[in-house]
Amino acid sequence: MKNPASKKIVVSIKNPAPKRNTVSMKNPAPKKNASSKKNIASWSLSRCGLWSNLILSAMITLLLAGSLLAGGSAGEAINELEFSAPPKRIVSLSPTASEMIAALGVHESLVGLTYLDVHLPELAGKALVGGPDAPHWPAVRSLNPDLVIVAPTLYEQAKEEFNDAAILIWDVDMNLAQSKEKFLWLAGIFDKTPQAEKLISDSQNLLELIALKTQKIPADEKLRVLRVALKDGKLISPADDSFQTEIVKASGGIAAVLGEGQEIVLTPENWLAFNPQFVYACADGSALKQFLSLPPWNEAEAVKNQNIRFFPCALTDRAATNVGYFVAWLSSSIYYESFSKVENLIEPNAYLGQEPIALDVPYVEKARIIDSRLMDFTHRTLVIDFKSPQKIVSTVTGQTDGIKAIGNSYSPTPVWDIYHMLGFEKSQQDLYQTLELDPKTTSLLATGADMTNLVVKSVEHQDLSVTALVTAGVEGNALRSAHDEGAYFEKPGTINIIVMTNRRLTDRAATRALITITEAKSAALWDMDIRSVQTPLDNPATGTGTDDVIVVQGEGPSLDYSGGHSKLGQLISEVVCQAVKEAILKQNGKLPHRNVFERLQERGLSIETILGSQYAQHRSDFVALLLNQRYQSFLEAAFSLSDAQSLEQLSDHEILTPWALGIAGEIAQKQVTRLEDAFVLDGHPQALAIALNALITGLVNR
């Protein structure tokens, strides 16, 4: 990175919306040896040999004019940024930029992220530097970045912090066209334009598919759709010029006309005037549901008909690489009845192709993952064919003989509501028919975990081997057995496990293996502190509500026992536990040792929830404390004590109070005798509340 130490380097992406008056740049979609006639941006891309010999030069010149979000002023000198090679140490304070860089497959260049990036498997374990709008600059500096990506509001701070790193301004208030420009610009830097164009094409194909499907819906059957959120006790919605409004329209919904700006505060008047028929928001919506249950909000059709849905915030709040995917999911949630009708299909159900999977099991003929189109969306199915019919034990079909093939089938999110309406039997019937499988001799599990995240693991002891094939998703319906309610609810998440050995298991060994497998799965979840989605503050999960298992009885010398005291049971436990952990990492991006931000989020606690409005002014300092290993360890101890209290294994949670007062005094740098009652957890174990109040008390008294 050529950058004189005395010179600030600023790059900004074109933002054609003139009302925002931002720094602009020529459309950076990279073309080799192309030069801008306006002399706003020039690129020189050359490639010779392998990646190690790549020479990439991106000369970007910016004319800073007017009152700029980046802090520039009219007449400021032109700055140049030259990349002689792609940046290798990027700190991204933009979750959207982080997602794009990860999608390009160059996540190794990211060394620092915000706590909102923890959902991406490729970025698991990366250093955290705070929030997008509240970074801890010492943490950023410690990573020695050569490029720092910031929002316009952070530019002045970044400019003061760095003389030896480029500063890329990333405007978070963008539309879908600008998102595409930014993605191509990043791809050009890393010589990944073909990959970006493929991802953009895939997303565009989904958008076009949804456009065709929603065109079949009569105008008088289109629904009024509103994206909402609670902020400081007020109901808000995106402005008319937001990308989120574009998403509503792309999904076939009728969008509200509320005005332009950052966000719109909804009033009873404009709420009832629009009268939404479908409302959606991000993440856990218990507080929002409670708010909407009160008059006059409960008079809207969406509330009356319980047509309120919640999606991952990484989808609802980002114009990044998954726009097409989210539009397809949102649209199918709004119009699942229409999408379920055969006459409304755009393409017929069809086999699309397959990819082989290597399995070293004596009686397996072949294994592969088959792509198929069902209900207009791509499904992926693991199919394992046997050399001769086998006897299996399945939690779906029971004990069955004469089975020629087994597997595990992934259904994408846009068909979930459709299949829930049509029923399991109908969805399976269409799948078997499309894959030309005989339902009498085939046994398939079903999952919402993507088959590209399948984990295949084997372990051996002498001449005994055990193989496990696992998919796992735990973010939607992880539960704690004997504690959580069994009421049916639609959420993604399933742990499916297939176990095969190179032995013939007796009926006793095969059925006992179900217990061994379940124990190993639960051990993996406890090892990773996976939380129950129903009672996350109180309980770790033991499984999800939709887990299934297949045990193949197999061929070879007979084994009659698979309990934990047997070598077979030990191997089953080891391979299943390892495979479940790896599958959760691939699907949900969770490591066994995760940062405290993520573990708080998993308990339903955000920084805003913890601090509330009374202590919001301490947000930056509070985030800095959570980045400190000492205070991380303090909270981690509180997590464990909280679970112990929940299990009635801790007699008195006040044993933590002297430690908490000491921590508060350490932060305040003076003696503290009383903890603030800043954060309250009524009806839950108090250890975590005591620890969080210790941190807040220390800041208040500092």
Side-chain angles (χ1 to χ4, degrees):
M1 183 76 65
K2 296 180 181 180
N3 180 10
S6 62
K7 188 176 183 180
K8 302 294 192 303
I9 294 178
V10 182
V11 182
S12 183
I13 306 293
K14 180 182 180 182
N15 182 357
K19 66 182 181 62
R20 295 191 178 98
N21 201 20
T22 61
V23 181
S24 65
M25 162 179 119
K26 175 76 173 178
N27 184 352
K31 291 185 178 181
K32 294 188 177 182
N33 298 323
S35 177
S36 166
K37 292 182 180 179
K38 294 183 179 180
N39 197 28
I40 295 179
S42 61
W43 294 82
S44 174
L45 306 179
S46 62
R47 187 173 181 178
C48 178
L50 299 174
W51 170 252
S52 60
N53 294 322
L54 170 68
I55 300 175
L56 173 61
S57 177
M59 298 292 296
I60 305 170
T61 61
L62 303 175
L63 180 60
L64 306 180
S67 176
L68 306 177
L69 288 178
S73 60
E76 184 174 346
I78 293 175
N79 292 326
E80 290 187 0
L81 171 63
E82 179 179 341
F83 291 102
S84 59
K88 294 182 179 180
R89 299 191 61 80
I90 302 174
V91 172
S92 173
L93 302 181
S94 165
T96 300
S98 301
E99 181 180 312
M100 290 179 173
I101 292 171
L104 291 172
V106 291
H107 47 274
E108 70 279 356
S109 64
L110 281 167
V111 296
L113 308 165
T114 76
Y115 55 72
L116 296 182
D117 297 309
V118 295
H119 69 290
L120 296 170
E122 302 92 338
L123 305 182
K126 299 277 189 179
L128 298 187
V129 297
D133 56 351
H136 185 50
W137 292 113
V140 178
R141 285 197 304 272
S142 71
L143 296 172
N144 191 29
D146 54 15
L147 178 63
V148 181
I149 303 176
V150 301
T153 53
L154 288 177
Y155 167 68
E156 288 295 338
Q157 295 180 45
K159 188 171 64 171
E160 293 298 321
E161 295 286 340
F162 297 100
N163 285 317
D164 54 354
I167 301 170
L168 171 60
I169 302 172
W170 195 277
D171 187 4
V172 296
D173 187 15
M174 62 180 176
N175 58 37
L176 298 184
Q178 293 159 0
S179 171
K180 177 180 175 181
E181 281 189 8
K182 292 182 178 184
F183 193 31
L184 287 171
W185 184 85
L186 282 174
I189 289 180
F190 291 101
D191 197 33
K192 294 287 184 178
T193 301
Q195 290 88 332
E197 290 176 340
K198 174 65 166 59
L199 289 166
I200 290 171
S201 175
D202 291 344
S203 184
Q204 186 60 36
N205 288 341
L206 278 172
L207 292 173
E208 292 173 359
L209 171 64
I210 295 304
L212 291 172
K213 293 180 76 66
T214 54
Q215 283 175 11
K216 292 176 174 286
I217 301 172
D220 60 354
E221 295 180 15
K222 294 287 184 72
L223 299 187
R224 297 182 297 277
V225 178
L226 196 62
R227 158 76 163 105
V228 298
L230 272 182
K231 182 177 180 181
D232 299 327
K234 297 179 180 179
L235 193 64
I236 62 171
S237 185
D240 299 349
D241 53 345
S242 167
F243 76 89
Q244 299 189 58
T245 301
E246 290 185 86
I247 284 176
V248 168
K249 294 177 180 178
S251 69
I254 300 172
V257 179
L258 299 170
E260 296 185 353
Q262 292 289 327
E263 58 195 26
I264 305 298
V265 176
L266 293 172
T267 64
E269 291 74 22
N270 59 18
W271 169 262
L272 294 176
F274 183 61
N275 188 20
Q277 297 164 296
F278 185 98
V279 167
Y280 73 96
C282 88
D284 175 34
S286 54
L288 177 62
K289 282 187 174 181
Q290 176 64 29
F291 183 93
L292 293 179
S293 69
L294 302 174
W297 313 103
N298 60 3
E299 297 175 22
E301 287 186 41
V303 182
K304 288 180 179 179
N305 298 326
Q306 299 184 3
N307 222 359
I308 306 171
R309 293 292 298 270
F310 300 93
F311 300 92
C313 297
L315 295 178
T316 61
D317 295 353
R318 297 181 195 172
T321 59
N322 292 306
V323 170
Y325 168 78
F326 178 52
V327 166
W329 189 1
L330 176 61
S331 184
S332 66
S333 300
I334 300 170
Y335 299 116
Y336 63 90
E337 291 188 24
S338 174
F339 285 14
S340 70
K341 297 176 181 178
V342 175
E343 61 269 26
N344 287 341
L345 293 181
I346 304 303
E347 297 284 351
N349 294 344
Y351 164 90
L352 300 177
Q354 62 180 301
E355 178 183 351
I357 299 292
L359 280 183
D360 186 16
V361 180
Y363 45 86
V364 169
E365 178 70 31
K366 61 181 177 180
R368 69 269 197 214
I369 293 178
I370 302 175
D371 284 359
S372 59
R373 181 176 57 243
L374 293 166
M375 307 304 295
D376 281 329
F377 299 101
T378 300
H379 293 51
R380 297 187 181 93
T381 306
L382 168 69
V383 178
I384 302 169
D385 295 308
F386 299 127
K387 295 177 181 178
S388 59
Q390 298 292 319
K391 192 174 187 179
I392 70 166
V393 176
S394 168
T395 54
V396 176
T397 60
Q399 192 171 53
T400 313
D401 209 345
I403 296 297
K404 297 180 179 179
I406 60 172
N408 187 12
S409 186
Y410 157 68
S411 300
T413 54
V415 301
W416 289 356
D417 286 296
I418 297 171
Y419 287 167
H420 286 146
M421 187 185 74
L422 295 178
F424 179 75
E425 301 250 336
K426 170 60 177 170
S427 65
Q428 289 294 96
Q429 177 184 337
D430 290 346
L431 176 66
Y432 280 76
Q433 182 176 348
T434 301
L435 300 186
E436 297 183 349
L437 298 173
D438 184 352
K440 295 180 180 179
T441 59
T442 305
S443 181
L444 298 180
L445 306 179
T447 182
D450 198 324
M451 211 52 56
T452 58
N453 296 324
L454 172 71
V455 171
V456 181
K457 290 193 75 69
S458 297
V459 293
E460 296 181 356
H461 175 74
Q462 297 179 3
D463 60 348
L464 173 62
S465 67
V466 179
T467 297
L469 299 95
V470 177
T471 55
V474 296
E475 291 188 331
N477 64 350
L479 301 173
R480 170 65 188 272
S481 293
H483 284 74
D484 291 340
E485 183 181 356
Y488 178 77
F489 63 106
E490 300 175 6
K491 291 284 184 73
T494 291
I495 301 174
N496 280 350
I497 302 169
I498 296 173
V499 170
M500 296 181 287
T501 74
N502 62 348
R503 293 290 192 271
R504 183 182 66 80
L505 305 185
T506 64
D507 289 352
R508 176 192 182 200
T511 52
R512 180 58 178 81
L514 295 177
I515 297 177
T516 303
I517 291 167
T518 302
E519 290 173 344
K521 174 197 69 178
S522 296
L525 299 187
W526 274 60
D527 287 350
M528 298 183 71
D529 189 33
I530 302 301
R531 308 304 296 179
S532 160
V533 298
Q534 288 193 26
T535 53
L537 282 168
D538 303 323
N539 294 309
T542 54
T544 83
T546 51
D547 298 345
D548 279 309
V549 177
I550 290 178
V551 177
V552 181
Q553 295 194 226
E555 299 175 0
S558 177
L559 288 177
D560 189 49
Y561 186 59
S562 57
H565 293 298
S566 68
K567 184 56 66 174
L568 173 60
Q570 176 191 337
L571 295 184
I572 290 174
S573 296
E574 289 178 358
V575 74
V576 168
C577 188
Q578 293 170 15
V580 167
K581 290 179 180 179
E582 290 187 24
I584 291 172
L585 173 60
K586 293 182 72 173
Q587 179 71 27
N588 299 135
K590 295 184 183 297
L591 290 167
H593 185 268
R594 300 184 295 287
N595 62 80
V596 295
F597 294 96
E598 188 170 2
R599 294 182 69 185
L600 286 169
Q601 289 172 17
E602 291 164 355
R603 287 162 169 77
L605 301 177
S606 66
I607 304 299
E608 292 73 20
T609 301
I610 294 168
L611 296 178
S613 59
Q614 184 177 355
Y615 299 93
Q617 70 271 24
H618 299 289
R619 185 167 179 263
S620 294
D621 291 333
F622 186 77
V623 168
L625 290 180
L626 297 187
L627 292 171
N628 184 300
Q629 188 173 5
R630 178 170 175 79
Y631 305 123
Q632 290 173 12
S633 298
F634 177 58
L635 277 186
E636 288 164 350
F639 291 147
S640 296
L641 289 173
S642 180
D643 282 349
Q645 186 182 358
S646 178
L647 296 171
E648 299 182 355
Q649 295 173 352
L650 180 66
S651 301
D652 183 7
H653 64 264
E654 290 295 340
I655 192 68
L656 181 61
T657 300
W659 187 14
L661 288 170
I663 290 291
E666 180 180 302
I667 296 168
Q669 297 183 339
K670 63 181 180 182
Q671 185 176 6
V672 173
T673 59
R674 186 185 68 83
L675 295 178
E676 296 276 329
D677 292 326
F679 179 67
V680 179
L681 281 175
D682 289 333
H684 299 283
Q686 294 301 302
L688 183 55
I690 291 172
L692 291 170
N693 282 331
L695 301 184
I696 296 171
T697 300
L699 293 175
V700 170
N701 288 276
R702 186 155 68 180

